mmCIF file with all atom_site columns, all heavy atoms in Angstrom:
data_model
loop_
_atom_site.group_PDB
_atom_site.id
_atom_site.type_symbol
_atom_site.label_atom_id
_atom_site.label_alt_id
_atom_site.label_comp_id
_atom_site.label_asym_id
_atom_site.label_entity_id
_atom_site.label_seq_id
_atom_site.pdbx_PDB_ins_code
_atom_site.Cartn_x
_atom_site.Cartn_y
_atom_site.Cartn_z
_atom_site.occupancy
_atom_site.B_iso_or_equiv
_atom_site.pdbx_formal_charge
_atom_site.auth_seq_id
_atom_site.auth_comp_id
_atom_site.auth_asym_id
_atom_site.auth_atom_id
_atom_site.pdbx_PDB_model_num
ATOM 1   N N   . GLU A 1 184 ? 0.886  35.438 24.070 1.00 96.00 ? 184 GLU A N   1
ATOM 2   C CA  . GLU A 1 184 ? 2.313  34.913 24.279 1.00 96.00 ? 184 GLU A CA  1
ATOM 3   C C   . GLU A 1 184 ? 2.895  34.223 22.987 1.00 96.00 ? 184 GLU A C   1
ATOM 4   O O   . GLU A 1 184 ? 3.984  34.376 22.544 1.00 96.00 ? 184 GLU A O   1
ATOM 5   C CB  . GLU A 1 184 ? 2.417  34.012 25.496 1.00 96.00 ? 184 GLU A CB  1
ATOM 6   C CG  . GLU A 1 184 ? 3.866  33.597 25.876 1.00 96.00 ? 184 GLU A CG  1
ATOM 7   C CD  . GLU A 1 184 ? 3.970  32.827 27.079 1.00 96.00 ? 184 GLU A CD  1
ATOM 8   O OE1 . GLU A 1 184 ? 2.949  32.168 27.448 1.00 96.00 ? 184 GLU A OE1 1
ATOM 9   O OE2 . GLU A 1 184 ? 5.004  32.815 27.692 1.00 96.00 ? 184 GLU A OE2 1
ATOM 10  N N   . HIS A 1 185 ? 1.898  33.474 22.367 1.00 96.00 ? 185 HIS A N   1
ATOM 11  C CA  . HIS A 1 185 ? 2.389  32.836 21.138 1.00 96.00 ? 185 HIS A CA  1
ATOM 12  C C   . HIS A 1 185 ? 2.495  33.815 19.916 1.00 96.00 ? 185 HIS A C   1
ATOM 13  O O   . HIS A 1 185 ? 3.318  33.695 19.052 1.00 96.00 ? 185 HIS A O   1
ATOM 14  C CB  . HIS A 1 185 ? 1.429  31.655 20.710 1.00 96.00 ? 185 HIS A CB  1
ATOM 15  C CG  . HIS A 1 185 ? 1.587  30.368 21.536 1.00 96.00 ? 185 HIS A CG  1
ATOM 16  N ND1 . HIS A 1 185 ? 1.159  30.337 22.897 1.00 96.00 ? 185 HIS A ND1 1
ATOM 17  C CD2 . HIS A 1 185 ? 2.131  29.270 21.295 1.00 96.00 ? 185 HIS A CD2 1
ATOM 18  C CE1 . HIS A 1 185 ? 1.451  29.205 23.434 1.00 96.00 ? 185 HIS A CE1 1
ATOM 19  N NE2 . HIS A 1 185 ? 1.986  28.495 22.465 1.00 96.00 ? 185 HIS A NE2 1
ATOM 20  N N   . GLU A 1 186 ? 1.631  34.895 19.987 1.00 96.00 ? 186 GLU A N   1
ATOM 21  C CA  . GLU A 1 186 ? 1.831  35.833 18.980 1.00 96.00 ? 186 GLU A CA  1
ATOM 22  C C   . GLU A 1 186 ? 3.142  36.623 19.153 1.00 96.00 ? 186 GLU A C   1
ATOM 23  O O   . GLU A 1 186 ? 3.850  36.914 18.176 1.00 96.00 ? 186 GLU A O   1
ATOM 24  C CB  . GLU A 1 186 ? 0.700  36.844 19.151 1.00 96.00 ? 186 GLU A CB  1
ATOM 25  C CG  . GLU A 1 186 ? -0.747 36.307 18.602 1.00 96.00 ? 186 GLU A CG  1
ATOM 26  C CD  . GLU A 1 186 ? -1.826 37.247 18.823 1.00 96.00 ? 186 GLU A CD  1
ATOM 27  O OE1 . GLU A 1 186 ? -1.596 38.452 19.176 1.00 96.00 ? 186 GLU A OE1 1
ATOM 28  O OE2 . GLU A 1 186 ? -3.021 36.871 18.750 1.00 96.00 ? 186 GLU A OE2 1
ATOM 29  N N   . ASP A 1 187 ? 3.522  36.906 20.438 1.00 96.00 ? 187 ASP A N   1
ATOM 30  C CA  . ASP A 1 187 ? 4.718  37.437 20.699 1.00 96.00 ? 187 ASP A CA  1
ATOM 31  C C   . ASP A 1 187 ? 5.932  36.517 20.276 1.00 96.00 ? 187 ASP A C   1
ATOM 32  O O   . ASP A 1 187 ? 6.954  37.051 19.673 1.00 96.00 ? 187 ASP A O   1
ATOM 33  C CB  . ASP A 1 187 ? 4.988  37.773 22.184 1.00 96.00 ? 187 ASP A CB  1
ATOM 34  C CG  . ASP A 1 187 ? 4.097  38.917 22.677 1.00 96.00 ? 187 ASP A CG  1
ATOM 35  O OD1 . ASP A 1 187 ? 3.714  39.788 21.816 1.00 96.00 ? 187 ASP A OD1 1
ATOM 36  O OD2 . ASP A 1 187 ? 3.863  39.078 23.905 1.00 96.00 ? 187 ASP A OD2 1
ATOM 37  N N   . LEU A 1 188 ? 5.761  35.258 20.438 1.00 96.00 ? 188 LEU A N   1
ATOM 38  C CA  . LEU A 1 188 ? 6.800  34.245 20.045 1.00 96.00 ? 188 LEU A CA  1
ATOM 39  C C   . LEU A 1 188 ? 6.947  34.253 18.590 1.00 96.00 ? 188 LEU A C   1
ATOM 40  O O   . LEU A 1 188 ? 8.082  34.301 18.071 1.00 96.00 ? 188 LEU A O   1
ATOM 41  C CB  . LEU A 1 188 ? 6.359  32.878 20.512 1.00 96.00 ? 188 LEU A CB  1
ATOM 42  C CG  . LEU A 1 188 ? 7.236  31.726 20.081 1.00 96.00 ? 188 LEU A CG  1
ATOM 43  C CD1 . LEU A 1 188 ? 8.737  31.887 20.547 1.00 96.00 ? 188 LEU A CD1 1
ATOM 44  C CD2 . LEU A 1 188 ? 6.712  30.363 20.474 1.00 96.00 ? 188 LEU A CD2 1
ATOM 45  N N   . LEU A 1 189 ? 5.847  34.349 17.784 1.00 97.00 ? 189 LEU A N   1
ATOM 46  C CA  . LEU A 1 189 ? 5.913  34.420 16.363 1.00 97.00 ? 189 LEU A CA  1
ATOM 47  C C   . LEU A 1 189 ? 6.687  35.674 15.933 1.00 97.00 ? 189 LEU A C   1
ATOM 48  O O   . LEU A 1 189 ? 7.518  35.599 14.983 1.00 97.00 ? 189 LEU A O   1
ATOM 49  C CB  . LEU A 1 189 ? 4.509  34.381 15.786 1.00 97.00 ? 189 LEU A CB  1
ATOM 50  C CG  . LEU A 1 189 ? 4.373  34.660 14.326 1.00 97.00 ? 189 LEU A CG  1
ATOM 51  C CD1 . LEU A 1 189 ? 5.084  33.535 13.504 1.00 97.00 ? 189 LEU A CD1 1
ATOM 52  C CD2 . LEU A 1 189 ? 2.785  34.540 13.898 1.00 97.00 ? 189 LEU A CD2 1
ATOM 53  N N   . ARG A 1 190 ? 6.253  36.849 16.463 1.00 96.00 ? 190 ARG A N   1
ATOM 54  C CA  . ARG A 1 190 ? 7.026  38.080 16.085 1.00 96.00 ? 190 ARG A CA  1
ATOM 55  C C   . ARG A 1 190 ? 8.518  37.942 16.488 1.00 96.00 ? 190 ARG A C   1
ATOM 56  O O   . ARG A 1 190 ? 9.298  38.364 15.586 1.00 96.00 ? 190 ARG A O   1
ATOM 57  C CB  . ARG A 1 190 ? 6.388  39.253 16.817 1.00 96.00 ? 190 ARG A CB  1
ATOM 58  C CG  . ARG A 1 190 ? 5.054  39.706 16.259 1.00 96.00 ? 190 ARG A CG  1
ATOM 59  C CD  . ARG A 1 190 ? 4.592  40.933 16.826 1.00 96.00 ? 190 ARG A CD  1
ATOM 60  N NE  . ARG A 1 190 ? 4.148  40.867 18.198 1.00 96.00 ? 190 ARG A NE  1
ATOM 61  C CZ  . ARG A 1 190 ? 2.940  40.641 18.705 1.00 96.00 ? 190 ARG A CZ  1
ATOM 62  N NH1 . ARG A 1 190 ? 1.999  40.636 17.745 1.00 96.00 ? 190 ARG A NH1 1
ATOM 63  N NH2 . ARG A 1 190 ? 2.664  40.526 19.906 1.00 96.00 ? 190 ARG A NH2 1
ATOM 64  N N   . ASP A 1 191 ? 8.863  37.441 17.548 1.00 96.00 ? 191 ASP A N   1
ATOM 65  C CA  . ASP A 1 191 ? 10.351 37.207 17.838 1.00 96.00 ? 191 ASP A CA  1
ATOM 66  C C   . ASP A 1 191 ? 10.979 36.316 16.868 1.00 96.00 ? 191 ASP A C   1
ATOM 67  O O   . ASP A 1 191 ? 12.078 36.588 16.392 1.00 96.00 ? 191 ASP A O   1
ATOM 68  C CB  . ASP A 1 191 ? 10.452 36.635 19.262 1.00 96.00 ? 191 ASP A CB  1
ATOM 69  C CG  . ASP A 1 191 ? 10.065 37.533 20.401 1.00 96.00 ? 191 ASP A CG  1
ATOM 70  O OD1 . ASP A 1 191 ? 9.989  38.710 20.052 1.00 96.00 ? 191 ASP A OD1 1
ATOM 71  O OD2 . ASP A 1 191 ? 9.899  37.084 21.492 1.00 96.00 ? 191 ASP A OD2 1
ATOM 72  N N   . LYS A 1 192 ? 10.350 35.273 16.512 1.00 96.00 ? 192 LYS A N   1
ATOM 73  C CA  . LYS A 1 192 ? 10.891 34.296 15.533 1.00 96.00 ? 192 LYS A CA  1
ATOM 74  C C   . LYS A 1 192 ? 11.094 35.073 14.131 1.00 96.00 ? 192 LYS A C   1
ATOM 75  O O   . LYS A 1 192 ? 12.178 34.831 13.430 1.00 96.00 ? 192 LYS A O   1
ATOM 76  C CB  . LYS A 1 192 ? 10.096 33.131 15.255 1.00 96.00 ? 192 LYS A CB  1
ATOM 77  C CG  . LYS A 1 192 ? 10.103 32.099 16.453 1.00 96.00 ? 192 LYS A CG  1
ATOM 78  C CD  . LYS A 1 192 ? 11.405 31.464 16.579 1.00 96.00 ? 192 LYS A CD  1
ATOM 79  C CE  . LYS A 1 192 ? 11.418 30.367 17.681 1.00 96.00 ? 192 LYS A CE  1
ATOM 80  N NZ  . LYS A 1 192 ? 12.799 29.795 17.835 1.00 96.00 ? 192 LYS A NZ  1
ATOM 81  N N   . LEU A 1 193 ? 10.127 35.801 13.725 1.00 96.00 ? 193 LEU A N   1
ATOM 82  C CA  . LEU A 1 193 ? 10.334 36.561 12.458 1.00 96.00 ? 193 LEU A CA  1
ATOM 83  C C   . LEU A 1 193 ? 11.409 37.561 12.540 1.00 96.00 ? 193 LEU A C   1
ATOM 84  O O   . LEU A 1 193 ? 12.237 37.759 11.587 1.00 96.00 ? 193 LEU A O   1
ATOM 85  C CB  . LEU A 1 193 ? 8.967  37.308 12.181 1.00 96.00 ? 193 LEU A CB  1
ATOM 86  C CG  . LEU A 1 193 ? 7.789  36.365 11.759 1.00 96.00 ? 193 LEU A CG  1
ATOM 87  C CD1 . LEU A 1 193 ? 6.480  37.166 11.792 1.00 96.00 ? 193 LEU A CD1 1
ATOM 88  C CD2 . LEU A 1 193 ? 7.998  35.823 10.367 1.00 96.00 ? 193 LEU A CD2 1
ATOM 89  N N   . ARG A 1 194 ? 11.624 38.266 13.643 1.00 95.00 ? 194 ARG A N   1
ATOM 90  C CA  . ARG A 1 194 ? 12.745 39.163 13.785 1.00 95.00 ? 194 ARG A CA  1
ATOM 91  C C   . ARG A 1 194 ? 14.116 38.440 13.678 1.00 95.00 ? 194 ARG A C   1
ATOM 92  O O   . ARG A 1 194 ? 15.028 38.939 13.146 1.00 95.00 ? 194 ARG A O   1
ATOM 93  C CB  . ARG A 1 194 ? 12.548 39.963 15.087 1.00 95.00 ? 194 ARG A CB  1
ATOM 94  C CG  . ARG A 1 194 ? 11.377 40.853 15.076 1.00 95.00 ? 194 ARG A CG  1
ATOM 95  C CD  . ARG A 1 194 ? 11.391 41.749 16.326 1.00 95.00 ? 194 ARG A CD  1
ATOM 96  N NE  . ARG A 1 194 ? 10.123 42.519 16.438 1.00 95.00 ? 194 ARG A NE  1
ATOM 97  C CZ  . ARG A 1 194 ? 9.156  42.296 17.198 1.00 95.00 ? 194 ARG A CZ  1
ATOM 98  N NH1 . ARG A 1 194 ? 9.242  41.274 18.076 1.00 95.00 ? 194 ARG A NH1 1
ATOM 99  N NH2 . ARG A 1 194 ? 8.059  43.012 17.261 1.00 95.00 ? 194 ARG A NH2 1
ATOM 100 N N   . ASP A 1 216 ? -2.686 37.454 11.676 1.00 96.00 ? 216 ASP A N   1
ATOM 101 C CA  . ASP A 1 216 ? -1.788 38.060 12.809 1.00 96.00 ? 216 ASP A CA  1
ATOM 102 C C   . ASP A 1 216 ? -0.602 38.679 12.109 1.00 96.00 ? 216 ASP A C   1
ATOM 103 O O   . ASP A 1 216 ? -0.129 39.767 12.588 1.00 96.00 ? 216 ASP A O   1
ATOM 104 C CB  . ASP A 1 216 ? -1.277 36.845 13.623 1.00 96.00 ? 216 ASP A CB  1
ATOM 105 C CG  . ASP A 1 216 ? -2.381 36.273 14.495 1.00 96.00 ? 216 ASP A CG  1
ATOM 106 O OD1 . ASP A 1 216 ? -3.272 37.132 14.996 1.00 96.00 ? 216 ASP A OD1 1
ATOM 107 O OD2 . ASP A 1 216 ? -2.518 35.038 14.654 1.00 96.00 ? 216 ASP A OD2 1
ATOM 108 N N   . ILE A 1 217 ? -0.109 38.192 10.975 1.00 96.00 ? 217 ILE A N   1
ATOM 109 C CA  . ILE A 1 217 ? 1.103  38.685 10.407 1.00 96.00 ? 217 ILE A CA  1
ATOM 110 C C   . ILE A 1 217 ? 0.951  38.734 8.776  1.00 96.00 ? 217 ILE A C   1
ATOM 111 O O   . ILE A 1 217 ? 0.423  37.816 8.206  1.00 96.00 ? 217 ILE A O   1
ATOM 112 C CB  . ILE A 1 217 ? 2.383  37.814 10.616 1.00 96.00 ? 217 ILE A CB  1
ATOM 113 C CG1 . ILE A 1 217 ? 2.695  37.763 12.075 1.00 96.00 ? 217 ILE A CG1 1
ATOM 114 C CG2 . ILE A 1 217 ? 3.560  38.259 9.822  1.00 96.00 ? 217 ILE A CG2 1
ATOM 115 C CD1 . ILE A 1 217 ? 3.127  39.134 12.725 1.00 96.00 ? 217 ILE A CD1 1
ATOM 116 N N   . ILE A 1 233 ? 0.783  34.921 7.977  1.00 98.00 ? 233 ILE A N   1
ATOM 117 C CA  . ILE A 1 233 ? 0.934  33.889 8.944  1.00 98.00 ? 233 ILE A CA  1
ATOM 118 C C   . ILE A 1 233 ? -0.148 34.021 10.039 1.00 98.00 ? 233 ILE A C   1
ATOM 119 O O   . ILE A 1 233 ? -0.317 35.184 10.428 1.00 98.00 ? 233 ILE A O   1
ATOM 120 C CB  . ILE A 1 233 ? 2.253  33.935 9.602  1.00 98.00 ? 233 ILE A CB  1
ATOM 121 C CG1 . ILE A 1 233 ? 3.393  33.722 8.546  1.00 98.00 ? 233 ILE A CG1 1
ATOM 122 C CG2 . ILE A 1 233 ? 2.307  32.662 10.569 1.00 98.00 ? 233 ILE A CG2 1
ATOM 123 C CD1 . ILE A 1 233 ? 4.807  33.814 9.111  1.00 98.00 ? 233 ILE A CD1 1
ATOM 124 N N   . GLU A 1 234 ? -0.887 33.048 10.313 1.00 97.00 ? 234 GLU A N   1
ATOM 125 C CA  . GLU A 1 234 ? -1.848 33.057 11.389 1.00 97.00 ? 234 GLU A CA  1
ATOM 126 C C   . GLU A 1 234 ? -1.418 32.208 12.551 1.00 97.00 ? 234 GLU A C   1
ATOM 127 O O   . GLU A 1 234 ? -1.003 31.108 12.340 1.00 97.00 ? 234 GLU A O   1
ATOM 128 C CB  . GLU A 1 234 ? -3.228 32.599 10.904 1.00 97.00 ? 234 GLU A CB  1
ATOM 129 C CG  . GLU A 1 234 ? -4.259 32.585 11.991 1.00 97.00 ? 234 GLU A CG  1
ATOM 130 C CD  . GLU A 1 234 ? -4.810 34.044 12.398 1.00 97.00 ? 234 GLU A CD  1
ATOM 131 O OE1 . GLU A 1 234 ? -4.439 34.979 11.698 1.00 97.00 ? 234 GLU A OE1 1
ATOM 132 O OE2 . GLU A 1 234 ? -5.698 34.039 13.279 1.00 97.00 ? 234 GLU A OE2 1
ATOM 133 N N   . SER A 1 235 ? -1.449 32.652 13.760 1.00 97.00 ? 235 SER A N   1
ATOM 134 C CA  . SER A 1 235 ? -1.002 31.946 14.971 1.00 97.00 ? 235 SER A CA  1
ATOM 135 C C   . SER A 1 235 ? -2.221 31.460 15.722 1.00 97.00 ? 235 SER A C   1
ATOM 136 O O   . SER A 1 235 ? -3.113 32.222 16.058 1.00 97.00 ? 235 SER A O   1
ATOM 137 C CB  . SER A 1 235 ? -0.194 32.913 15.895 1.00 97.00 ? 235 SER A CB  1
ATOM 138 O OG  . SER A 1 235 ? 0.092  32.343 17.147 1.00 97.00 ? 235 SER A OG  1
ATOM 139 N N   . ILE A 1 266 ? -0.032 28.314 11.930 1.00 98.00 ? 266 ILE A N   1
ATOM 140 C CA  . ILE A 1 266 ? 0.745  27.632 12.830 1.00 98.00 ? 266 ILE A CA  1
ATOM 141 C C   . ILE A 1 266 ? -0.257 27.197 13.970 1.00 98.00 ? 266 ILE A C   1
ATOM 142 O O   . ILE A 1 266 ? -0.714 28.118 14.683 1.00 98.00 ? 266 ILE A O   1
ATOM 143 C CB  . ILE A 1 266 ? 1.895  28.408 13.459 1.00 98.00 ? 266 ILE A CB  1
ATOM 144 C CG1 . ILE A 1 266 ? 2.902  28.895 12.368 1.00 98.00 ? 266 ILE A CG1 1
ATOM 145 C CG2 . ILE A 1 266 ? 2.575  27.666 14.456 1.00 98.00 ? 266 ILE A CG2 1
ATOM 146 C CD1 . ILE A 1 266 ? 3.996  29.714 12.767 1.00 98.00 ? 266 ILE A CD1 1
ATOM 147 N N   . TRP A 1 268 ? 0.135  25.763 17.327 1.00 97.00 ? 268 TRP A N   1
ATOM 148 C CA  . TRP A 1 268 ? 1.234  25.533 18.211 1.00 97.00 ? 268 TRP A CA  1
ATOM 149 C C   . TRP A 1 268 ? 1.210  24.335 18.962 1.00 97.00 ? 268 TRP A C   1
ATOM 150 O O   . TRP A 1 268 ? 2.204  23.770 19.425 1.00 97.00 ? 268 TRP A O   1
ATOM 151 C CB  . TRP A 1 268 ? 1.475  26.778 19.161 1.00 97.00 ? 268 TRP A CB  1
ATOM 152 C CG  . TRP A 1 268 ? 1.791  28.034 18.526 1.00 97.00 ? 268 TRP A CG  1
ATOM 153 C CD1 . TRP A 1 268 ? 0.979  29.023 18.085 1.00 97.00 ? 268 TRP A CD1 1
ATOM 154 C CD2 . TRP A 1 268 ? 3.137  28.454 18.034 1.00 97.00 ? 268 TRP A CD2 1
ATOM 155 N NE1 . TRP A 1 268 ? 1.710  30.007 17.636 1.00 97.00 ? 268 TRP A NE1 1
ATOM 156 C CE2 . TRP A 1 268 ? 3.019  29.728 17.419 1.00 97.00 ? 268 TRP A CE2 1
ATOM 157 C CE3 . TRP A 1 268 ? 4.353  27.816 17.986 1.00 97.00 ? 268 TRP A CE3 1
ATOM 158 C CZ2 . TRP A 1 268 ? 4.060  30.390 16.906 1.00 97.00 ? 268 TRP A CZ2 1
ATOM 159 C CZ3 . TRP A 1 268 ? 5.393  28.523 17.572 1.00 97.00 ? 268 TRP A CZ3 1
ATOM 160 C CH2 . TRP A 1 268 ? 5.328  29.852 16.955 1.00 97.00 ? 268 TRP A CH2 1
ATOM 161 N N   . PHE A 1 289 ? 7.234  27.202 14.333 1.00 96.00 ? 289 PHE A N   1
ATOM 162 C CA  . PHE A 1 289 ? 7.802  28.090 13.370 1.00 96.00 ? 289 PHE A CA  1
ATOM 163 C C   . PHE A 1 289 ? 8.661  27.330 12.446 1.00 96.00 ? 289 PHE A C   1
ATOM 164 O O   . PHE A 1 289 ? 9.601  26.559 12.900 1.00 96.00 ? 289 PHE A O   1
ATOM 165 C CB  . PHE A 1 289 ? 8.568  29.187 14.144 1.00 96.00 ? 289 PHE A CB  1
ATOM 166 C CG  . PHE A 1 289 ? 9.000  30.293 13.160 1.00 96.00 ? 289 PHE A CG  1
ATOM 167 C CD1 . PHE A 1 289 ? 8.045  31.254 12.868 1.00 96.00 ? 289 PHE A CD1 1
ATOM 168 C CD2 . PHE A 1 289 ? 10.244 30.379 12.719 1.00 96.00 ? 289 PHE A CD2 1
ATOM 169 C CE1 . PHE A 1 289 ? 8.504  32.383 12.027 1.00 96.00 ? 289 PHE A CE1 1
ATOM 170 C CE2 . PHE A 1 289 ? 10.668 31.367 11.881 1.00 96.00 ? 289 PHE A CE2 1
ATOM 171 C CZ  . PHE A 1 289 ? 9.777  32.383 11.506 1.00 96.00 ? 289 PHE A CZ  1
#
Side-chain angles (χ1 to χ4, degrees):
E184 188 173 23
H185 284 77
E186 291 175 11
D187 287 342
L188 174 63
L189 174 57
R190 286 189 287 265
D191 290 343
K192 289 292 186 181
L193 289 166
R194 295 187 186 103
D216 294 317
I217 296 293
I233 303 176
E234 179 74 3
S235 170
I266 301 177
W268 293 101
F289 190 80

